[in-house]
Amino acid sequence: MSLLRNPIQKKLSALLGAQVTFEKLKLSPIGGVLDIHGMTVAGEDAKHPVLSVDRIRAEVAVVKALAGEIVVKSLTIERPILSIIRRADGSTNLPPRPNSSKNKETDTNDAPLRGKPPKRSKTGEAPAGDEEENEEQRWTLDAKKILLVGGEIHFRDESAPSYRASAGPILAELKRAGDDFEFTLLVESLGRRDVPVELGQLKGEGRLTNLTDFARIAYAGLEATLEVGASLRLSARCASLASRSGDLTASGMIDLPELQKLVPAALFVLPAAVSDARGRVELSLRAAYDPGDGMKIAELVLKALDVSIGGGKVSSRRN
């Protein structure tokens, strides 16, 4: 199955801007099932993947599969694990962001994903030198539904003191809605793992916008709303996932000691009035994140409820 595996690996690598490999790939044209095991996506260091997936099961169009073209109609992703590391110097293990020249190359190479028939000579044979291109043209990402089961996200900040957080298990569903994809998300547990801070369950919904061709998911926009635990609501908006930047808002109730422990100090420094405070507050936050500049807070409003600051105390009222 290497004739099929190699072009798929190459195309996914080009789309994601990182090396993609599989341990095993099986295709059952009669049953209409494509089965991939042991997928990895390399990060900045090719030896340490930023993403690993135990299994990917795809339902394909049987008639087209018999003709040598793989058209994915639905997708189930089992146990994907995303591992993000922020080093002490501020760099991460994520693949480099696509540059303009790479984007142009990706645009040019998108044609094979739309299932264009391979070039043929008058004799019906593929022209010399076109074998690789024809193999790439044999598969099409046209999934109308994607299910993710048993996922995990791990984040580690190597700045002192060490910071480790994780989320999972994760259950998510992505469904076609016109030119967009709607999604729902359920995370059983979210918190830090180096200190005892647990925020509880996370529920989310939203959409990936301007995604007429699923092969261009890296350049889709994102609109998402998340509910963390029973009292915190977050919203995120990103014009393009490839930029890894966007706007964030948050509102709800939070315990100040937990907030101090939860927020990585390297991303942004909490105001002095919050850094040594105890108690609970109503939180309203507007911020923006950029990989180069980190988190920038445009507005932070805290309404105190039995909060003590610097040895004093504000009892049963709001500031």
Short mmCIF file of all heavy atoms in Angstrom, two decimals, residues 60-115:
data_model
loop_
_atom_site.label_atom_id
_atom_site.label_comp_id
_atom_site.label_asym_id
_atom_site.label_seq_id
_atom_site.Cartn_x
_atom_site.Cartn_y
_atom_site.Cartn_z
N VAL A 60 -14.93 5.62 2.59
CA VAL A 60 -14.64 6.15 1.27
C VAL A 60 -15.71 5.72 0.27
O VAL A 60 -16.45 4.75 0.51
CB VAL A 60 -13.24 5.68 0.79
CG1 VAL A 60 -12.16 6.15 1.76
CG2 VAL A 60 -13.18 4.17 0.63
N ALA A 61 -15.78 6.45 -0.84
CA ALA A 61 -16.71 6.12 -1.90
C ALA A 61 -16.22 4.86 -2.61
O ALA A 61 -15.15 4.85 -3.22
CB ALA A 61 -16.82 7.28 -2.88
N VAL A 62 -17.01 3.76 -2.53
CA VAL A 62 -16.57 2.46 -3.02
C VAL A 62 -16.32 2.48 -4.52
O VAL A 62 -15.28 2.00 -5.00
CB VAL A 62 -17.61 1.38 -2.67
CG1 VAL A 62 -17.21 0.04 -3.28
CG2 VAL A 62 -17.75 1.25 -1.17
N VAL A 63 -17.24 3.03 -5.30
CA VAL A 63 -17.10 3.00 -6.76
C VAL A 63 -15.84 3.74 -7.19
O VAL A 63 -15.07 3.26 -8.04
CB VAL A 63 -18.34 3.63 -7.43
CG1 VAL A 63 -18.13 3.74 -8.93
CG2 VAL A 63 -19.58 2.78 -7.13
N LYS A 64 -15.59 4.88 -6.58
CA LYS A 64 -14.39 5.63 -6.94
C LYS A 64 -13.13 4.94 -6.44
O LYS A 64 -12.07 5.01 -7.08
CB LYS A 64 -14.47 7.05 -6.38
CG LYS A 64 -15.56 7.89 -7.05
CD LYS A 64 -15.53 9.33 -6.60
CE LYS A 64 -16.59 10.14 -7.34
NZ LYS A 64 -16.56 11.58 -6.97
N ALA A 65 -13.23 4.26 -5.30
CA ALA A 65 -12.07 3.52 -4.80
C ALA A 65 -11.69 2.41 -5.76
O ALA A 65 -10.51 2.15 -6.00
CB ALA A 65 -12.38 2.94 -3.42
N LEU A 66 -12.68 1.74 -6.35
CA LEU A 66 -12.40 0.69 -7.32
C LEU A 66 -11.75 1.25 -8.58
O LEU A 66 -11.02 0.54 -9.28
CB LEU A 66 -13.70 -0.04 -7.69
CG LEU A 66 -14.33 -0.87 -6.55
CD1 LEU A 66 -15.69 -1.40 -6.98
CD2 LEU A 66 -13.41 -2.02 -6.17
N ALA A 67 -12.01 2.54 -8.85
CA ALA A 67 -11.41 3.19 -10.01
C ALA A 67 -10.06 3.81 -9.69
O ALA A 67 -9.44 4.43 -10.54
CB ALA A 67 -12.36 4.25 -10.56
N GLY A 68 -9.62 3.65 -8.43
CA GLY A 68 -8.30 4.16 -8.05
C GLY A 68 -8.31 5.54 -7.44
O GLY A 68 -7.26 6.12 -7.21
N GLU A 69 -9.51 6.10 -7.14
CA GLU A 69 -9.60 7.42 -6.53
C GLU A 69 -10.18 7.30 -5.13
O GLU A 69 -11.24 6.69 -4.95
CB GLU A 69 -10.48 8.35 -7.37
CG GLU A 69 -10.59 9.76 -6.80
CD GLU A 69 -11.52 10.65 -7.60
OE1 GLU A 69 -12.00 10.20 -8.65
OE2 GLU A 69 -11.77 11.78 -7.15
N ILE A 70 -9.51 7.87 -4.13
CA ILE A 70 -9.97 7.80 -2.74
C ILE A 70 -10.69 9.09 -2.39
O ILE A 70 -10.08 10.15 -2.32
CB ILE A 70 -8.79 7.56 -1.78
CG1 ILE A 70 -8.00 6.32 -2.21
CG2 ILE A 70 -9.29 7.41 -0.35
CD1 ILE A 70 -8.81 5.05 -2.26
N VAL A 71 -12.01 8.99 -2.18
CA VAL A 71 -12.83 10.13 -1.78
C VAL A 71 -13.35 9.85 -0.37
O VAL A 71 -14.19 8.98 -0.17
CB VAL A 71 -14.01 10.36 -2.75
CG1 VAL A 71 -14.84 11.55 -2.29
CG2 VAL A 71 -13.49 10.58 -4.17
N VAL A 72 -12.84 10.59 0.62
CA VAL A 72 -13.20 10.38 2.02
C VAL A 72 -14.53 11.07 2.31
O VAL A 72 -14.66 12.28 2.15
CB VAL A 72 -12.10 10.92 2.95
CG1 VAL A 72 -12.50 10.74 4.41
CG2 VAL A 72 -10.78 10.22 2.67
N LYS A 73 -15.53 10.28 2.78
CA LYS A 73 -16.85 10.82 3.07
C LYS A 73 -17.08 11.07 4.55
O LYS A 73 -17.87 11.93 4.92
CB LYS A 73 -17.93 9.86 2.55
CG LYS A 73 -17.74 9.45 1.10
CD LYS A 73 -17.66 10.63 0.15
CE LYS A 73 -18.96 11.39 0.05
NZ LYS A 73 -18.88 12.50 -0.94
N SER A 74 -16.43 10.30 5.42
CA SER A 74 -16.51 10.54 6.86
C SER A 74 -15.22 10.03 7.49
O SER A 74 -14.50 9.22 6.91
CB SER A 74 -17.72 9.84 7.49
OG SER A 74 -17.56 8.43 7.46
N LEU A 75 -14.94 10.54 8.71
CA LEU A 75 -13.63 10.29 9.31
C LEU A 75 -13.81 10.11 10.82
O LEU A 75 -14.51 10.89 11.47
CB LEU A 75 -12.72 11.48 9.03
CG LEU A 75 -11.21 11.31 9.06
CD1 LEU A 75 -10.75 10.30 8.04
CD2 LEU A 75 -10.54 12.65 8.81
N THR A 76 -13.16 9.07 11.38
CA THR A 76 -13.11 8.88 12.82
C THR A 76 -11.65 8.86 13.26
O THR A 76 -10.85 8.07 12.74
CB THR A 76 -13.78 7.56 13.24
OG1 THR A 76 -15.16 7.58 12.84
CG2 THR A 76 -13.72 7.39 14.76
N ILE A 77 -11.29 9.75 14.19
CA ILE A 77 -9.91 9.88 14.67
C ILE A 77 -9.87 9.41 16.11
O ILE A 77 -10.54 9.97 16.98
CB ILE A 77 -9.45 11.35 14.56
CG1 ILE A 77 -9.59 11.85 13.13
CG2 ILE A 77 -8.00 11.49 15.03
CD1 ILE A 77 -9.36 13.33 12.97
N GLU A 78 -9.07 8.37 16.36
CA GLU A 78 -9.00 7.77 17.68
C GLU A 78 -7.70 8.11 18.41
O GLU A 78 -6.62 7.95 17.86
CB GLU A 78 -9.14 6.24 17.57
CG GLU A 78 -10.46 5.79 16.95
CD GLU A 78 -10.54 4.28 16.84
OE1 GLU A 78 -9.64 3.59 17.37
OE2 GLU A 78 -11.51 3.79 16.22
N ARG A 79 -7.85 8.60 19.61
CA ARG A 79 -6.75 8.94 20.52
C ARG A 79 -5.68 9.84 19.88
O ARG A 79 -4.50 9.46 19.81
CB ARG A 79 -6.12 7.67 21.10
CG ARG A 79 -5.21 7.96 22.27
CD ARG A 79 -4.82 6.73 23.06
NE ARG A 79 -3.68 6.96 23.92
CZ ARG A 79 -3.70 7.68 25.03
NH1 ARG A 79 -4.81 8.25 25.42
NH2 ARG A 79 -2.61 7.84 25.76
N PRO A 80 -6.06 11.01 19.44
CA PRO A 80 -5.04 11.99 19.02
C PRO A 80 -4.45 12.68 20.26
O PRO A 80 -5.19 13.07 21.16
CB PRO A 80 -5.83 12.97 18.16
CG PRO A 80 -7.21 12.92 18.73
CD PRO A 80 -7.42 11.52 19.24
N ILE A 81 -3.15 12.83 20.30
CA ILE A 81 -2.47 13.47 21.43
C ILE A 81 -1.63 14.64 20.90
O ILE A 81 -0.69 14.43 20.13
CB ILE A 81 -1.59 12.48 22.20
CG1 ILE A 81 -2.43 11.33 22.75
CG2 ILE A 81 -0.86 13.19 23.34
CD1 ILE A 81 -1.64 10.27 23.47
N LEU A 82 -2.00 15.85 21.30
CA LEU A 82 -1.27 17.06 20.92
C LEU A 82 -0.39 17.49 22.08
O LEU A 82 -0.88 17.69 23.19
CB LEU A 82 -2.26 18.18 20.57
CG LEU A 82 -1.67 19.55 20.22
CD1 LEU A 82 -0.84 19.48 18.93
CD2 LEU A 82 -2.78 20.58 20.09
N SER A 83 0.92 17.61 21.83
CA SER A 83 1.88 17.97 22.87
C SER A 83 2.59 19.27 22.48
O SER A 83 3.31 19.31 21.49
CB SER A 83 2.92 16.85 23.06
OG SER A 83 2.29 15.63 23.42
N ILE A 84 2.36 20.33 23.28
CA ILE A 84 2.94 21.65 22.99
C ILE A 84 3.92 22.00 24.10
O ILE A 84 3.61 21.88 25.28
CB ILE A 84 1.85 22.73 22.88
CG1 ILE A 84 0.84 22.36 21.79
CG2 ILE A 84 2.47 24.09 22.60
CD1 ILE A 84 -0.34 23.29 21.71
N ILE A 85 5.11 22.45 23.70
CA ILE A 85 6.15 22.82 24.65
C ILE A 85 6.57 24.26 24.39
O ILE A 85 6.84 24.63 23.24
CB ILE A 85 7.38 21.90 24.54
CG1 ILE A 85 6.98 20.44 24.80
CG2 ILE A 85 8.48 22.33 25.50
CD1 ILE A 85 8.10 19.46 24.52
N ARG A 86 6.56 25.07 25.44
CA ARG A 86 7.11 26.43 25.35
C ARG A 86 8.44 26.43 26.08
O ARG A 86 8.51 26.18 27.28
CB ARG A 86 6.17 27.46 25.97
CG ARG A 86 6.65 28.90 25.77
CD ARG A 86 5.75 29.87 26.50
NE ARG A 86 6.09 31.25 26.18
CZ ARG A 86 7.08 31.93 26.73
NH1 ARG A 86 7.83 31.36 27.65
NH2 ARG A 86 7.31 33.18 26.38
N ARG A 87 9.51 26.71 25.34
CA ARG A 87 10.84 26.66 25.93
C ARG A 87 11.14 27.94 26.71
O ARG A 87 10.42 28.94 26.60
CB ARG A 87 11.88 26.43 24.83
CG ARG A 87 11.60 25.19 23.99
CD ARG A 87 12.70 24.94 22.99
NE ARG A 87 12.40 23.81 22.12
CZ ARG A 87 11.85 23.92 20.92
NH1 ARG A 87 11.55 25.12 20.45
NH2 ARG A 87 11.61 22.85 20.18
N ALA A 88 12.23 27.89 27.47
CA ALA A 88 12.59 29.03 28.31
C ALA A 88 12.88 30.28 27.48
O ALA A 88 12.70 31.41 27.97
CB ALA A 88 13.81 28.67 29.16
N ASP A 89 13.33 30.12 26.23
CA ASP A 89 13.64 31.28 25.39
C ASP A 89 12.41 31.81 24.65
O ASP A 89 12.51 32.74 23.84
CB ASP A 89 14.75 30.94 24.39
CG ASP A 89 14.35 29.83 23.42
OD1 ASP A 89 13.20 29.33 23.51
OD2 ASP A 89 15.19 29.44 22.59
N GLY A 90 11.23 31.22 24.91
CA GLY A 90 10.01 31.68 24.28
C GLY A 90 9.63 30.93 23.02
O GLY A 90 8.51 31.08 22.52
N SER A 91 10.53 30.13 22.47
CA SER A 91 10.22 29.35 21.28
C SER A 91 9.36 28.14 21.65
O SER A 91 9.24 27.78 22.83
CB SER A 91 11.51 28.89 20.60
OG SER A 91 12.23 27.99 21.44
N THR A 92 8.75 27.51 20.64
CA THR A 92 7.90 26.35 20.88
C THR A 92 8.33 25.20 19.97
O THR A 92 9.16 25.38 19.07
CB THR A 92 6.42 26.67 20.61
OG1 THR A 92 6.22 26.82 19.20
CG2 THR A 92 6.00 27.93 21.34
N ASN A 93 7.75 24.05 20.20
CA ASN A 93 8.03 22.88 19.37
C ASN A 93 7.10 22.79 18.17
O ASN A 93 7.14 21.82 17.41
CB ASN A 93 7.89 21.60 20.19
CG ASN A 93 6.46 21.36 20.66
OD1 ASN A 93 5.72 22.30 20.94
ND2 ASN A 93 6.08 20.10 20.76
N LEU A 94 6.23 23.80 17.97
CA LEU A 94 5.30 23.79 16.84
C LEU A 94 6.04 23.99 15.53
O LEU A 94 7.08 24.65 15.49
CB LEU A 94 4.25 24.89 17.01
CG LEU A 94 3.31 24.73 18.21
CD1 LEU A 94 2.45 25.96 18.35
CD2 LEU A 94 2.45 23.48 18.05
N PRO A 95 5.52 23.44 14.42
CA PRO A 95 6.16 23.66 13.12
C PRO A 95 6.17 25.14 12.77
O PRO A 95 5.32 25.90 13.24
CB PRO A 95 5.26 22.88 12.15
CG PRO A 95 4.49 21.93 13.00
CD PRO A 95 4.32 22.60 14.33
N PRO A 96 7.11 25.58 11.95
CA PRO A 96 7.15 26.99 11.55
C PRO A 96 5.86 27.38 10.84
O PRO A 96 5.24 26.56 10.17
CB PRO A 96 8.35 27.06 10.60
CG PRO A 96 9.17 25.86 10.93
CD PRO A 96 8.20 24.81 11.36
N ARG A 97 5.45 28.63 11.02
CA ARG A 97 4.26 29.11 10.33
C ARG A 97 4.50 29.17 8.84
O ARG A 97 5.57 29.54 8.39
CB ARG A 97 3.87 30.51 10.84
CG ARG A 97 3.12 30.49 12.13
CD ARG A 97 2.75 31.88 12.56
NE ARG A 97 3.90 32.66 12.96
CZ ARG A 97 3.87 33.93 13.32
NH1 ARG A 97 2.72 34.58 13.32
NH2 ARG A 97 4.95 34.57 13.69
N PRO A 98 3.47 28.81 8.01
CA PRO A 98 3.65 28.89 6.56
C PRO A 98 3.94 30.33 6.15
O PRO A 98 3.28 31.26 6.61
CB PRO A 98 2.28 28.43 6.02
CG PRO A 98 1.65 27.67 7.13
CD PRO A 98 2.15 28.32 8.40
N ASN A 99 4.94 30.51 5.26
CA ASN A 99 5.21 31.85 4.74
C ASN A 99 4.45 32.04 3.45
O ASN A 99 3.76 31.15 2.95
CB ASN A 99 6.72 32.06 4.53
CG ASN A 99 7.34 30.98 3.65
OD1 ASN A 99 6.71 30.51 2.71
ND2 ASN A 99 8.56 30.59 3.97
N SER A 100 4.56 33.23 2.89
CA SER A 100 3.76 33.55 1.71
C SER A 100 4.09 32.65 0.54
O SER A 100 3.22 32.22 -0.21
CB SER A 100 3.97 35.02 1.33
OG SER A 100 5.35 35.28 1.11
N SER A 101 5.37 32.33 0.36
CA SER A 101 5.75 31.48 -0.76
C SER A 101 5.20 30.08 -0.57
O SER A 101 4.78 29.43 -1.51
CB SER A 101 7.28 31.43 -0.89
OG SER A 101 7.87 30.90 0.27
N LYS A 102 5.18 29.62 0.68
CA LYS A 102 4.62 28.29 0.95
C LYS A 102 3.13 28.28 0.70
O LYS A 102 2.57 27.31 0.18
CB LYS A 102 4.90 27.91 2.41
CG LYS A 102 4.44 26.48 2.77
CD LYS A 102 5.23 25.47 2.02
CE LYS A 102 4.84 24.05 2.44
NZ LYS A 102 5.56 23.02 1.69
N ASN A 103 2.45 29.38 1.06
CA ASN A 103 1.02 29.44 0.81
C ASN A 103 0.72 29.34 -0.67
O ASN A 103 -0.22 28.69 -1.09
CB ASN A 103 0.44 30.74 1.37
CG ASN A 103 0.46 30.76 2.88
OD1 ASN A 103 0.65 29.73 3.52
ND2 ASN A 103 0.27 31.93 3.46
N LYS A 104 1.52 30.03 -1.48
CA LYS A 104 1.31 29.98 -2.92
C LYS A 104 1.51 28.57 -3.43
O LYS A 104 0.80 28.09 -4.30
CB LYS A 104 2.27 30.96 -3.62
CG LYS A 104 1.95 32.41 -3.34
CD LYS A 104 2.95 33.32 -4.03
CE LYS A 104 2.65 34.80 -3.73
NZ LYS A 104 3.64 35.69 -4.37
N GLU A 105 2.52 27.90 -2.88
CA GLU A 105 2.77 26.53 -3.30
C GLU A 105 1.60 25.64 -2.92
O GLU A 105 1.17 24.78 -3.70
CB GLU A 105 4.05 26.02 -2.64
CG GLU A 105 4.37 24.57 -2.99
CD GLU A 105 5.60 24.08 -2.26
OE1 GLU A 105 6.33 24.91 -1.70
OE2 GLU A 105 5.83 22.85 -2.25
N THR A 106 1.05 25.86 -1.71
CA THR A 106 -0.08 25.06 -1.27
C THR A 106 -1.29 25.31 -2.16
O THR A 106 -2.01 24.39 -2.53
CB THR A 106 -0.43 25.41 0.19
OG1 THR A 106 0.71 25.17 1.01
CG2 THR A 106 -1.59 24.57 0.69
N ASP A 107 -1.51 26.58 -2.55
CA ASP A 107 -2.63 26.89 -3.43
C ASP A 107 -2.50 26.14 -4.74
O ASP A 107 -3.47 25.61 -5.28
CB ASP A 107 -2.70 28.41 -3.70
CG ASP A 107 -3.10 29.17 -2.45
OD1 ASP A 107 -3.63 28.54 -1.51
OD2 ASP A 107 -2.87 30.39 -2.42
N THR A 108 -1.29 26.12 -5.25
CA THR A 108 -1.06 25.43 -6.51
C THR A 108 -1.31 23.94 -6.37
O THR A 108 -1.87 23.29 -7.25
CB THR A 108 0.39 25.66 -6.99
OG1 THR A 108 0.62 27.06 -7.12
CG2 THR A 108 0.64 24.97 -8.32
N ASN A 109 -0.91 23.38 -5.25
CA ASN A 109 -1.02 21.95 -5.06
C ASN A 109 -2.38 21.51 -4.56
O ASN A 109 -2.61 20.33 -4.34
CB ASN A 109 0.05 21.47 -4.06
CG ASN A 109 1.44 21.54 -4.65
OD1 ASN A 109 1.59 21.52 -5.87
ND2 ASN A 109 2.44 21.62 -3.79
N ASP A 110 -3.29 22.45 -4.34
CA ASP A 110 -4.62 22.06 -3.88
C ASP A 110 -5.42 21.34 -4.95
O ASP A 110 -6.35 20.62 -4.66
CB ASP A 110 -5.42 23.30 -3.44
CG ASP A 110 -5.14 23.65 -2.00
OD1 ASP A 110 -4.58 22.80 -1.29
OD2 ASP A 110 -5.48 24.77 -1.58
N ALA A 111 -5.07 21.57 -6.22
CA ALA A 111 -5.84 20.97 -7.30
C ALA A 111 -6.00 19.47 -7.17
O ALA A 111 -7.09 18.93 -7.38
CB ALA A 111 -5.20 21.33 -8.65
N PRO A 112 -4.95 18.69 -6.84
CA PRO A 112 -5.13 17.25 -6.72
C PRO A 112 -6.17 16.84 -5.69
O PRO A 112 -6.79 15.80 -5.83
CB PRO A 112 -3.73 16.76 -6.29
CG PRO A 112 -2.79 17.79 -6.80
CD PRO A 112 -3.55 19.07 -6.66
N LEU A 113 -6.39 17.66 -4.66
CA LEU A 113 -7.35 17.30 -3.63
C LEU A 113 -8.78 17.37 -4.12
O LEU A 113 -9.67 16.82 -3.51
CB LEU A 113 -7.18 18.21 -2.42
CG LEU A 113 -5.86 18.06 -1.68
CD1 LEU A 113 -5.73 19.15 -0.64
CD2 LEU A 113 -5.78 16.70 -1.00
N ARG A 114 -9.01 18.05 -5.23
CA ARG A 114 -10.36 18.16 -5.74
C ARG A 114 -10.68 17.05 -6.75
O ARG A 114 -11.66 17.10 -7.45
CB ARG A 114 -10.57 19.54 -6.34
CG ARG A 114 -10.60 20.62 -5.28
CD ARG A 114 -11.00 21.96 -5.85
NE ARG A 114 -9.92 22.60 -6.57
CZ ARG A 114 -9.04 23.41 -6.00
NH1 ARG A 114 -9.10 23.64 -4.71
NH2 ARG A 114 -8.09 23.98 -6.72
N GLY A 115 -9.77 16.08 -6.85
CA GLY A 115 -10.08 14.89 -7.61
C GLY A 115 -10.00 15.06 -9.11
O GLY A 115 -10.72 14.39 -9.84
#
